[in-house]
Amino acid sequence: MDLYGALEAGGTKMVLAVMDGSGATVEKTAMPTCTPGETMPGMISFFRKYAIRSLGIGCFGPLDLHPASPAYGSITSTPKLPWRNYPIVSAFRNALQVPVALDTDVNAAALAEASLGAARGLESCLYVTVGTGIGGGLIIHGKPVHGLTHPEIGHIPVLADPADPMPRGVCPYHACCLEGMASGPSIEKRWGIPGKELPPEHPAWELESGYLAQMCASAMLSFSPEKIILGGGVMQQKFLLPMIRRKTAALLGGYIVHPAVENGLADYIVEPGLGTASGITGAWLLARQADPAPSQPQQR
Ligand code: ADP
Ligand code: ZN
């Protein structure tokens, strides 16, 4: 049986799984993200218990994903200082002696959603997580998009809502970017209460859905993905999706005419098809793609 290692590397926790070629989980565990010196040995021991053929990692970033770069496979300018410039790919490759594939956590999740989730059968989608931070993964022609670096849709500028009592967001880099204005911590800072405890009629949600709608409209006009998938802790507020759809449609002003965006965007801006499993499933897909000689046919 072919076995693959999958790692969803997050800023607060690491989710590790060993899965077979069909995606069935053999063992799964999680551990807190401490320093590399503290966290790497436990992760290496976990994967060493199995004869994995390759390892796929969906990782918090920013990452150096340029194969020709000397720093390829490193976490670069992260605010999580112990991991800054950490060469996560070579560390695992040296320890496990198997091919290691790396992409952003959100590109991995987007890949999983495009292959097996809400955008299954489509060639493109945008997956955005709205949580402690805001990150987006973009699939075009079936592949995660990399370019100069990789998409950072969480940091696109947004227009401050005139009704916003906090016109400067929480991002240390930008006065008014999406993450600074609409992440979970920004909601908590603005209102002094975590989003989870704010009732549906609270003005917080008009602002929140407005900022996310600005992103959805910009993304549709910029990349034309065939589906936008919104996940993450904040999106557990289920009433947000219809608000975001309505505001996105208003911002588009009827300009984009396509059957897929009819119906008030109800089939277009959607929740993840894989629930909270998009990230680890994407890491497994990356591992399978990195396997030079799989015995079962590859998806995508
Ligand atoms: P992370 O982004 O750290 O991986 P989450 O996606 O769970 O994890 O996001 C955590 C953030 O989402 C926190 O800021 C938290 O306040 C917020 N959050 C979590 N659950 C909810 C909820 N039900 N409603 C609104 N905000 C929530
Ligand atoms: Zn920012």
Side-chain angles (χ1 to χ4, degrees):
M1 182 170 58
D2 288 352
L3 294 178
Y4 298 94
L7 169 61
E8 189 182 4
T12 50
K13 73 171 188 222
M14 302 285 186
V15 179
L16 302 86
V18 170
M19 298 159 87
D20 70 13
S22 73
T25 302
V26 176
E27 188 180 347
K28 190 172 176 183
T29 189
M31 48 188 82
T33 305
C34 304
T35 65
E38 289 160 333
T39 309
M40 288 296 294
M43 294 199 287
I44 289 165
S45 311
F46 174 81
F47 290 123
R48 271 200 183 137
K49 289 193 285 178
Y50 299 91
I52 58 171
R53 296 182 57 82
S54 51
L55 173 66
I57 308 174
C59 189
F60 66 88
L63 306 173
D64 188 328
L65 297 173
H66 276 286
S69 160
Y72 169 77
S74 303
I75 300 166
T76 59
S77 59
T78 172
K80 299 172 222 321
L81 292 179
W83 292 88
R84 189 169 282 187
N85 299 319
Y86 186 72
I88 192 164
V89 166
S90 56
F92 275 115
R93 200 166 40 211
N94 293 340
L96 301 173
Q97 297 290 313
V98 294
V100 178
L102 174 72
D103 213 322
T104 60
D105 43 6
V106 279
N107 263 347
L111 183 66
E113 288 292 330
S115 303
L116 302 164
R120 186 178 190 151
L122 302 177
E123 284 286 297
S124 60
C125 73
L126 173 69
Y127 172 92
V128 177
T129 177
V130 188
T132 307
I134 298 185
L138 182 63
I139 304 293
I140 300 284
H141 303 312
K143 294 201 163 62
V145 170
H146 306 132
L148 187 67
T149 58
H150 46 75
E152 286 280 8
I153 204 161
H155 294 273
I156 59 168
V158 290
L159 293 174
D161 189 317
D164 193 336
M166 188 182 75
R168 201 205 182 287
V170 299
C171 175
Y173 292 89
H174 310 119
C176 193
C177 72
L178 182 67
E179 179 172 297
M181 302 302 276
S183 60
S186 82
I187 300 172
E188 184 161 355
K189 172 143 192 234
R190 186 182 284 114
W191 305 107
I193 312 171
K196 206 183 203 160
E197 294 168 29
L198 293 170
E201 64 281 4
H202 194 279
W205 305 118
E206 288 295 334
L207 298 181
E208 181 70 16
S209 54
Y211 292 130
L212 291 169
Q214 289 190 48
M215 179 277 293
C216 289
S218 295
M220 289 173 76
L221 296 163
S222 302
F223 323 119
S224 214
E226 292 161 284
K227 193 89 65 180
I228 295 179
I229 299 155
L230 301 180
V234 174
M235 292 308 300
Q236 286 175 38
Q237 301 288 350
K238 297 294 175 200
F239 55 81
L240 270 176
L241 260 187
M243 295 171 78
I244 295 166
R245 290 182 187 126
R246 199 168 59 242
K247 287 173 197 247
T248 303
L251 285 170
L252 292 171
Y255 185 74
I256 296 179
V257 179
H258 189 281
V261 302
E262 283 170 2
N263 201 7
L265 300 173
D267 301 320
Y268 183 79
I269 301 177
V270 298
E271 59 187 318
L274 300 172
T276 55
S278 325
I280 198 74
T281 306
W284 168 74
L285 287 169
L286 290 173
R288 295 215 349 150
Q289 288 174 356
D291 180 356
S295 60
Q296 292 181 23
Q298 301 266 348
Q299 274 144 356
R300 218 187 264 293

Short mmCIF file of all heavy atoms in Angstrom, two decimals, residues 8 10-13 105 129-134 183-188 194-198 205 231-237 240, ligand 1:
data_model
loop_
_atom_site.label_atom_id
_atom_site.label_comp_id
_atom_site.label_asym_id
_atom_site.label_seq_id
_atom_site.Cartn_x
_atom_site.Cartn_y
_atom_site.Cartn_z
N GLU A 8 -0.36 19.96 7.52
CA GLU A 8 -0.97 21.28 7.45
C GLU A 8 -0.28 22.10 8.54
O GLU A 8 -0.54 21.91 9.73
CB GLU A 8 -2.48 21.15 7.73
CG GLU A 8 -3.25 22.41 7.49
CD GLU A 8 -4.74 22.22 7.84
OE1 GLU A 8 -5.13 21.14 8.33
OE2 GLU A 8 -5.48 23.18 7.63
N GLY A 10 0.33 25.23 10.53
CA GLY A 10 -0.32 26.49 10.89
C GLY A 10 0.49 27.23 11.94
O GLY A 10 1.36 26.65 12.60
N GLY A 11 0.18 28.48 12.12
CA GLY A 11 0.91 29.29 13.07
C GLY A 11 0.68 28.89 14.52
O GLY A 11 1.51 29.13 15.38
N THR A 12 -0.48 28.27 14.80
CA THR A 12 -0.73 27.84 16.18
C THR A 12 -0.65 26.33 16.33
O THR A 12 -0.23 25.83 17.36
CB THR A 12 -2.11 28.32 16.68
OG1 THR A 12 -3.10 27.97 15.72
CG2 THR A 12 -2.14 29.81 16.89
N LYS A 13 -1.03 25.58 15.29
CA LYS A 13 -0.89 24.13 15.42
C LYS A 13 -0.51 23.47 14.09
O LYS A 13 -0.78 24.01 13.02
CB LYS A 13 -2.15 23.50 16.01
CG LYS A 13 -3.32 23.45 15.07
CD LYS A 13 -4.45 22.61 15.65
CE LYS A 13 -5.50 22.45 14.60
NZ LYS A 13 -6.83 22.55 14.83
N ASP A 105 -0.66 27.15 2.70
CA ASP A 105 -1.79 26.43 3.29
C ASP A 105 -3.06 26.65 2.47
O ASP A 105 -3.85 25.72 2.25
CB ASP A 105 -2.00 26.87 4.76
CG ASP A 105 -1.88 28.38 4.98
OD1 ASP A 105 -1.77 29.13 3.99
OD2 ASP A 105 -1.91 28.80 6.14
N THR A 129 -9.65 31.84 3.46
CA THR A 129 -9.97 31.56 4.85
C THR A 129 -9.99 32.87 5.63
O THR A 129 -9.11 33.72 5.46
CB THR A 129 -8.97 30.55 5.47
OG1 THR A 129 -9.29 30.39 6.86
CG2 THR A 129 -7.53 31.02 5.38
N VAL A 130 -11.04 33.03 6.41
CA VAL A 130 -11.22 34.24 7.22
C VAL A 130 -11.13 33.81 8.68
O VAL A 130 -12.10 33.27 9.24
CB VAL A 130 -12.59 34.90 6.92
CG1 VAL A 130 -12.67 36.27 7.61
CG2 VAL A 130 -12.82 35.05 5.42
N GLY A 131 -9.96 33.97 9.26
CA GLY A 131 -9.75 33.50 10.63
C GLY A 131 -8.86 34.48 11.37
O GLY A 131 -9.10 35.68 11.35
N THR A 132 -7.80 33.94 12.00
CA THR A 132 -6.83 34.79 12.69
C THR A 132 -6.19 35.75 11.69
O THR A 132 -5.91 36.90 11.99
CB THR A 132 -5.76 33.92 13.37
OG1 THR A 132 -6.43 32.95 14.18
CG2 THR A 132 -4.83 34.74 14.22
N GLY A 133 -5.95 35.23 10.51
CA GLY A 133 -5.54 36.07 9.38
C GLY A 133 -6.52 35.83 8.24
O GLY A 133 -7.50 35.09 8.40
N ILE A 134 -6.27 36.47 7.11
CA ILE A 134 -7.06 36.17 5.92
C ILE A 134 -6.07 35.79 4.83
O ILE A 134 -5.11 36.52 4.56
CB ILE A 134 -7.92 37.37 5.48
CG1 ILE A 134 -8.91 37.73 6.59
CG2 ILE A 134 -8.65 37.05 4.17
CD1 ILE A 134 -9.90 38.83 6.23
N SER A 183 -10.31 40.40 9.62
CA SER A 183 -9.91 39.15 10.29
C SER A 183 -10.61 39.04 11.64
O SER A 183 -11.13 40.03 12.16
CB SER A 183 -8.39 39.14 10.49
OG SER A 183 -8.03 40.24 11.30
N GLY A 184 -10.57 37.84 12.23
CA GLY A 184 -11.16 37.65 13.56
C GLY A 184 -10.61 38.65 14.57
O GLY A 184 -11.39 39.31 15.28
N PRO A 185 -9.27 38.82 14.67
CA PRO A 185 -8.74 39.79 15.63
C PRO A 185 -9.20 41.23 15.37
O PRO A 185 -9.35 42.01 16.30
CB PRO A 185 -7.21 39.66 15.44
CG PRO A 185 -7.03 38.26 14.95
CD PRO A 185 -8.22 37.98 14.08
N SER A 186 -9.45 41.59 14.09
CA SER A 186 -9.91 42.97 13.83
C SER A 186 -11.33 43.16 14.36
O SER A 186 -11.66 44.22 14.90
CB SER A 186 -9.85 43.30 12.33
OG SER A 186 -10.97 42.80 11.64
N ILE A 187 -12.16 42.14 14.25
CA ILE A 187 -13.53 42.23 14.79
C ILE A 187 -13.46 42.42 16.30
O ILE A 187 -14.10 43.30 16.88
CB ILE A 187 -14.34 40.95 14.45
CG1 ILE A 187 -14.44 40.76 12.92
CG2 ILE A 187 -15.73 40.99 15.09
CD1 ILE A 187 -15.07 39.44 12.51
N GLU A 188 -12.61 41.61 16.92
CA GLU A 188 -12.50 41.66 18.39
C GLU A 188 -11.96 43.01 18.85
O GLU A 188 -12.43 43.59 19.83
CB GLU A 188 -11.60 40.51 18.87
CG GLU A 188 -11.53 40.46 20.36
CD GLU A 188 -11.05 39.12 20.91
OE1 GLU A 188 -10.85 38.17 20.11
OE2 GLU A 188 -10.88 39.03 22.12
N PRO A 194 -15.16 39.05 21.04
CA PRO A 194 -14.89 38.18 19.89
C PRO A 194 -16.13 38.02 18.99
O PRO A 194 -17.27 38.05 19.49
CB PRO A 194 -14.52 36.83 20.51
CG PRO A 194 -14.51 37.02 21.98
CD PRO A 194 -15.04 38.38 22.32
N GLY A 195 -15.89 37.83 17.70
CA GLY A 195 -16.97 37.71 16.73
C GLY A 195 -17.99 36.65 17.10
O GLY A 195 -19.20 36.81 16.85
N LYS A 196 -17.51 35.58 17.70
CA LYS A 196 -18.39 34.47 18.09
C LYS A 196 -19.52 34.93 18.99
O LYS A 196 -20.61 34.34 19.00
CB LYS A 196 -17.51 33.47 18.85
CG LYS A 196 -17.96 32.06 18.83
CD LYS A 196 -16.99 31.27 19.70
CE LYS A 196 -17.02 29.83 19.29
NZ LYS A 196 -15.86 29.10 19.73
N GLU A 197 -19.26 35.99 19.77
CA GLU A 197 -20.26 36.43 20.76
C GLU A 197 -21.12 37.59 20.27
O GLU A 197 -21.98 38.07 21.01
CB GLU A 197 -19.54 36.84 22.06
CG GLU A 197 -18.87 35.65 22.72
CD GLU A 197 -17.92 36.05 23.84
OE1 GLU A 197 -18.14 37.09 24.48
OE2 GLU A 197 -16.94 35.31 24.04
N LEU A 198 -20.90 38.03 19.04
CA LEU A 198 -21.70 39.14 18.52
C LEU A 198 -22.96 38.60 17.84
O LEU A 198 -22.86 37.72 16.99
CB LEU A 198 -20.89 39.96 17.51
CG LEU A 198 -19.69 40.72 18.08
CD1 LEU A 198 -18.82 41.28 16.96
CD2 LEU A 198 -20.16 41.85 18.99
N TRP A 205 -21.46 42.91 11.47
CA TRP A 205 -21.58 41.99 10.31
C TRP A 205 -21.84 42.73 9.01
O TRP A 205 -21.49 42.23 7.94
CB TRP A 205 -22.63 40.92 10.61
CG TRP A 205 -22.30 40.20 11.88
CD1 TRP A 205 -23.04 40.14 13.01
CD2 TRP A 205 -21.10 39.45 12.15
NE1 TRP A 205 -22.39 39.43 13.99
CE2 TRP A 205 -21.19 38.98 13.48
CE3 TRP A 205 -19.95 39.13 11.43
CZ2 TRP A 205 -20.19 38.21 14.09
CZ3 TRP A 205 -18.96 38.37 12.02
CH2 TRP A 205 -19.09 37.93 13.34
N GLY A 231 -13.92 30.00 3.79
CA GLY A 231 -13.86 29.16 5.00
C GLY A 231 -13.23 29.94 6.15
O GLY A 231 -13.05 31.15 6.08
N GLY A 232 -12.87 29.20 7.21
CA GLY A 232 -12.23 29.83 8.37
C GLY A 232 -13.24 30.11 9.48
O GLY A 232 -14.46 30.09 9.27
N GLY A 233 -12.70 30.39 10.66
CA GLY A 233 -13.52 30.53 11.86
C GLY A 233 -14.63 31.55 11.74
O GLY A 233 -15.78 31.31 12.14
N VAL A 234 -14.32 32.72 11.17
CA VAL A 234 -15.32 33.79 11.11
C VAL A 234 -16.51 33.37 10.24
O VAL A 234 -17.66 33.73 10.52
CB VAL A 234 -14.69 35.10 10.59
CG1 VAL A 234 -15.74 36.18 10.39
CG2 VAL A 234 -13.60 35.59 11.55
N MET A 235 -16.25 32.55 9.22
CA MET A 235 -17.33 32.14 8.31
C MET A 235 -18.27 31.11 8.96
O MET A 235 -19.26 30.72 8.35
CB MET A 235 -16.76 31.61 6.99
CG MET A 235 -16.09 32.67 6.13
SD MET A 235 -17.10 34.14 5.81
CE MET A 235 -18.50 33.41 4.97
N GLN A 236 -17.94 30.71 10.19
CA GLN A 236 -18.91 29.86 10.90
C GLN A 236 -20.20 30.63 11.20
O GLN A 236 -21.22 30.03 11.56
CB GLN A 236 -18.30 29.33 12.19
CG GLN A 236 -17.29 28.23 11.94
CD GLN A 236 -16.60 27.80 13.21
OE1 GLN A 236 -17.22 27.74 14.26
NE2 GLN A 236 -15.32 27.54 13.11
N GLN A 237 -20.15 31.94 11.09
CA GLN A 237 -21.38 32.75 11.20
C GLN A 237 -22.11 32.60 9.86
O GLN A 237 -21.82 33.29 8.89
CB GLN A 237 -21.03 34.21 11.47
CG GLN A 237 -20.24 34.43 12.73
CD GLN A 237 -21.07 34.23 13.99
OE1 GLN A 237 -22.29 34.12 13.94
NE2 GLN A 237 -20.41 34.17 15.13
N LEU A 240 -23.47 35.18 7.29
CA LEU A 240 -22.58 36.07 6.53
C LEU A 240 -22.62 35.81 5.03
O LEU A 240 -22.57 36.75 4.23
CB LEU A 240 -21.13 35.89 7.01
CG LEU A 240 -20.66 36.77 8.16
CD1 LEU A 240 -19.23 36.37 8.53
CD2 LEU A 240 -20.69 38.25 7.79
P1 ADP B 1 -6.83 30.08 12.35
O1 ADP B 1 -7.10 31.19 11.41
O2 ADP B 1 -6.02 30.51 13.53
O3 ADP B 1 -6.32 28.85 11.69
P2 ADP B 1 -9.72 29.93 12.66
O4 ADP B 1 -9.98 29.81 11.21
O5 ADP B 1 -10.54 29.11 13.61
O6 ADP B 1 -8.21 29.60 13.01
O7 ADP B 1 -9.88 31.46 13.04
C1 ADP B 1 -9.79 31.93 14.35
C2 ADP B 1 -10.39 33.33 14.38
O8 ADP B 1 -11.76 33.23 13.99
C3 ADP B 1 -10.38 33.99 15.75
O9 ADP B 1 -10.05 35.37 15.60
C4 ADP B 1 -11.80 33.82 16.25
O10 ADP B 1 -12.19 34.92 17.05
C5 ADP B 1 -12.61 33.78 14.98
N1 ADP B 1 -13.76 32.89 15.13
C6 ADP B 1 -13.72 31.57 15.44
N2 ADP B 1 -14.97 31.07 15.50
C7 ADP B 1 -15.80 32.09 15.21
C8 ADP B 1 -17.22 32.21 15.10
N3 ADP B 1 -18.03 31.17 15.31
N4 ADP B 1 -17.71 33.42 14.77
C9 ADP B 1 -16.92 34.48 14.55
N5 ADP B 1 -15.58 34.43 14.66
C10 ADP B 1 -15.02 33.25 14.99
#
